[in-house]
Amino acid sequence: MKVSKRANVAPFYAMEILKSANELADGGADIMHMEAGEPVSGTPARVLAAAHSALDESHLGYTEAQGNPRLRARIAQHYADMYREEVPVEQITVTIGASGGLILAFLAAFDIGDRIALAEPSYPAYRNTLEAFGLEVVGLPTGAETRFQPSVDLLEALDRPIQGLIVASPSNPTGTMIPRQQFEALIKYCEAQDIRIISDEIYHGITYGEAAQTILAYSSNAIIANGFSKYFAMTGWRLGWMVFPPDLVRPVERLAQNLFVSPPALAQISALAAFNCRDELEANVARYDENRKVLEEALPRAGFGNLAPCDGAFYVYADVSRLTNDSYEFCQKMLKETGVAATPGIDFDPKRGNRYVRFSFATNRETVQRAADALVAWLEVD
Ligand SMILES: Cc1ncc(COP(=O)(O)O)c(C=O)c1O
């Protein structure tokens, strides 16, 4: 029988490494998991308590397609608290993870055949989802000179117009942020050319220097993706939110009614408590910062070069071209010989990803230290 061409998306190699790591662990190996972009700290305590009460006391039926009005209002308050930005509640849609929000955004903003640009390297689901929806992905070959982020020069070098641009600052897999001037220039260029920007702000809150500013401060036409998986450490609750500009609000509502009916009720009620867990969440960020420093000191000693400057998120993107020209094979070998599980760069950059490996340090300090020691012992250069 027929299988659609649109289903022919690339595999997620991080999951292949995870599978190998689990097989080795079943055989008794000591594995240090640094392949998944998932906080090991787990759900904040107050969210769990709120979920217990909701199970006893709430009806937990469908909510409105755009989400629980109380949660939407709380998210609007979050923009006032974090960024001093006023966001009308109507423009906020609660979604099934940022992933569900990106689906709504791509469907609402673009037509089949539209061209959407993104940095190479980028979070792989952007590319794979866009392709499954019949959109053309335009990879921007970014490097250290633009902090692995899109720039006006890279857009001007394209041979044909684009209709959309995805940015993520801080980014997965590099952790880099778009410098303010570069960001402002990009927004100005895109507004002038009618290019819709989607700003993935899911790593906001996890920064090690300057705090990240929402694109709302610069543009009223952009789409914002965010959610509870990263800073709020609630991956399995499958809850995110989007801020849509006024012209997309009603189209998105109609799509959400039909595609998802509503986001999960239990997760929405529980997530109200997430905004009262600052101490716990800030302690997570402080731990990530320590982990980052351990890796930034140890990885160059082990021969991993040119680390992308990690401004935020919980990733180190390391150049392994001195060590291999096949990052997937390298990650499998590193896993078998040291127990350190990391993600090959081919997940993020189909063209140059064989030169890179991503380490996630959203884990505990002890795991990061043991991984750093194991890698230095494995590869140490004189
Ligand atoms: C940049 C980026 N955007 C979106 C997502 C998806 O997040 P969610 O769990 O909210 O669907 C991820 C998950 O790793 C991510 O790294």
Side-chain angles (χ1 to χ4, degrees):
M1 295 287 268
K2 182 176 163 150
V3 176
S4 83
K5 287 193 213 60
R6 61 174 65 206
N8 190 23
V9 297
F12 195 5
Y13 291 98
M15 302 318 286
E16 310 273 326
I17 297 286
L18 179 73
K19 200 158 89 182
S20 305
N22 287 343
E23 278 164 18
L24 288 169
D26 286 347
D30 176 21
I31 301 299
M32 287 146 271
H33 285 285
M34 299 178 77
E35 73 280 40
E38 170 160 43
V40 292
S41 49
T43 305
R46 288 200 177 110
V47 175
L48 286 177
H52 280 291
S53 328
L55 280 174
D56 292 334
E57 291 156 22
S58 299
H59 165 58
L60 302 179
Y62 291 136
T63 67
E64 289 170 24
Q66 285 176 295
N68 176 320
R70 279 181 61 214
L71 181 60
R72 293 169 69 204
R74 187 63 192 82
I75 292 167
Q77 183 62 43
H78 177 68
Y79 280 87
D81 298 343
M82 288 282 289
Y83 310 104
R84 310 264 160 260
E85 289 294 329
E86 202 176 308
V87 186
V89 174
E90 307 81 74
Q91 288 180 233
I92 296 170
T93 299
V94 180
T95 55
I96 302 180
S99 308
L102 290 170
I103 287 175
L104 292 171
F106 296 162
L107 287 174
F110 305 119
D111 284 311
I112 289 176
D114 279 352
R115 287 160 45 83
I116 317 301
L118 42 73
E120 280 172 349
S122 275
Y123 176 55
Y126 302 147
R127 167 182 296 276
N128 296 337
T129 310
L130 289 168
E131 283 178 353
F133 285 167
L135 297 158
E136 188 184 336
V137 175
V138 180
L140 303 170
T142 68
E145 63 295 342
T146 61
R147 280 184 119 66
F148 295 92
Q149 293 282 4
S151 67
V152 169
D153 285 350
L154 286 165
L155 293 183
E156 276 180 338
L158 297 175
D159 54 354
R160 283 194 291 133
I162 54 169
Q163 285 68 45
L165 170 71
I166 302 179
V167 294
S169 173
S171 128
N172 176 6
T174 59
T176 59
M177 283 164 67
I178 311 179
R180 184 177 295 246
Q181 274 188 342
Q182 189 175 320
F183 208 1
E184 283 175 359
L186 265 177
I187 293 162
K188 200 164 154 212
Y189 179 89
C190 289
E191 300 258 327
Q193 312 276 329
D194 263 346
I195 298 169
R196 180 85 75 175
I197 301 185
I198 297 177
S199 176
D200 185 341
E201 304 186 350
I202 197 156
Y203 290 101
H204 280 207
I206 310 175
T207 50
Y208 308 115
E210 204 182 321
Q213 178 57 283
T214 173
I215 197 168
L216 270 178
Y218 309 108
S219 165
S220 49
N221 293 314
I223 298 171
I224 293 161
N226 207 323
F228 292 92
S229 289
K230 308 298 175 176
Y231 176 72
F232 296 98
M234 291 172 59
T235 43
W237 296 78
R238 307 310 306 128
L239 205 63
W241 76 79
M242 304 290 287
V243 182
F244 287 105
D247 57 344
L248 290 179
V249 169
R250 187 61 188 142
V252 164
E253 185 178 12
R254 290 192 304 258
L255 283 164
Q257 289 165 344
N258 284 284
L259 289 178
F260 305 122
V261 185
S262 91
L266 178 61
Q268 292 187 75
I269 294 177
S270 310
L272 279 164
F275 297 97
N276 303 330
C277 299
R278 264 212 114 61
D279 291 353
E280 193 176 337
L281 298 174
E282 288 302 316
N284 287 346
V285 177
R287 183 166 37 81
Y288 303 149
D289 198 13
E290 284 179 18
N291 292 348
R292 172 181 75 99
K293 288 177 186 146
V294 170
L295 290 179
E296 284 180 347
E297 189 277 322
L299 289 178
R301 274 200 287 134
F304 294 86
N306 301 326
L307 306 185
C310 175
D311 304 313
F314 33 59
Y315 305 112
V316 174
Y317 199 55
D319 186 337
V320 286
S321 54
R322 276 193 54 241
L323 306 168
T324 185
N325 56 16
D326 182 338
S327 61
Y328 181 67
E329 192 196 51
F330 178 84
C331 283
Q332 288 285 11
K333 188 165 187 283
M334 180 166 72
L335 174 65
K336 280 197 196 79
E337 296 182 9
T338 68
V340 178
T343 304
I346 47 170
D347 259 344
F348 313 102
D349 183 346
K351 301 198 190 79
R352 294 168 303 158
N354 267 319
R355 286 174 37 193
Y356 294 93
V357 166
R358 186 198 74 175
F359 294 90
S360 165
F361 52 82
T363 183
N364 51 51
R365 172 69 199 275
E366 187 254 329
T367 302
V368 170
Q369 190 63 59
R370 281 195 305 122
D373 293 345
L375 293 176
V376 169
W378 189 49
L379 288 170
E380 190 161 24
V381 285
D382 307 322

